[in-house]
Amino acid sequence: MKILDRLEETLIAFLMAAATLVIFVAVMHRYLSGVPAIQDYVIHWNLAWAQEVCIYMFVWMAKFGAAYGVRTGIHVGVDVVINRLRPDIRGRFVIFGLMAGALFTGVVGALGANFVYHIAETEQVSADLEMPMWLVYLAVPLGSFLMCFRFLQVAWNFIRTGELPHHDHAQVDGIDPVEAAKEGGPA
């Protein structure tokens, strides 16, 4: 499980960093193309593909980021009413919600896989990169099936322990709150 968790986090971080770098280079190219001393060198660089590749990277990042959100408890949820219920009733609603999420993402994954299969037969390619469109759309079934798995994983853990993953927005990775309090910093 730790390998899958690490792969998920690495993919999201890589896509975020790569998209940021590509956008930065494209913007710098645009501005440097207007500088008289440099424009003769950079105007010949073709960065028309930059916007397209960034869109595709953000789609992949969003699909895998949603699965990460389910696993870590940072996915947006409206649970004000659920949290006010008795624990036995609350548990049933939580399980129902997690199973509904798993069913929905499983269906989206299956429909996405079917779509990818059929689009692969058309040999369509993207406008600027000319990469097969089935590779672009592969984010839908892969991300959806991973999210389905994460819903089932959270449900199984909730059934066993009665706890849902939660994210402490005050916690900063790499900083021990006990040590920070001893040193006079915020706890």
Side-chain angles (χ1 to χ4, degrees):
M1 227 18 93
K2 290 185 186 219
I3 293 173
L4 180 61
D5 294 351
R6 190 55 132 171
L7 180 65
E8 181 181 47
E9 293 166 1
T10 303
L11 179 65
I12 294 166
F14 169 77
L15 289 170
M16 196 178 306
T20 302
L21 181 65
V22 169
I23 290 170
F24 174 76
V25 169
V27 169
M28 290 304 297
H29 175 261
R30 187 174 339 162
Y31 285 108
L32 291 176
S33 296
V35 176
I38 305 173
Q39 72 183 17
D40 291 339
Y41 299 105
V42 298
I43 205 158
H44 301 290
W45 300 348
N46 181 9
L47 295 179
W49 53 267
Q51 182 178 2
E52 185 176 297
V53 77
C54 284
I55 290 169
Y56 297 154
M57 284 193 280
F58 276 110
V59 167
W60 278 77
M61 185 175 28
K63 288 302 291 179
F64 284 87
Y68 174 80
V70 171
R71 176 174 62 94
T72 59
I74 59 174
H75 218 276
V76 176
V78 181
D79 57 0
V80 174
V81 175
I82 301 291
N83 287 339
R84 293 188 180 264
L85 297 174
R86 291 190 334 246
D88 58 325
I89 296 173
R90 177 184 174 270
R92 291 182 190 142
F93 276 99
V94 168
I95 294 297
F96 175 77
L98 291 170
M99 290 300 155
L103 176 65
F104 176 76
T105 54
V107 169
V108 170
L111 293 173
N114 185 44
F115 180 75
V116 168
Y117 175 76
H118 289 295
I119 201 138
E121 293 175 339
T122 67
E123 297 181 18
Q124 285 185 11
V125 294
S126 64
D128 293 324
L129 295 172
E130 295 184 4
M131 70 185 290
M133 287 305 292
W134 69 268
L135 283 174
V136 174
Y137 291 119
L138 193 61
V140 174
L142 292 180
S144 296
F145 284 139
L146 180 61
M147 196 169 178
C148 178
F149 172 74
R150 294 301 188 190
F151 272 119
L152 294 172
Q153 184 182 31
V154 169
W156 177 251
N157 189 50
F158 181 76
I159 290 168
R160 286 183 30 242
T161 66
E163 293 186 23
L164 291 170
H166 62 281
H167 181 74
D168 183 6
H169 297 286
Q171 174 63 31
V172 178
D173 286 340
I175 297 179
D176 183 14
V178 176
E179 289 297 320
K182 286 180 186 176
E183 295 173 8

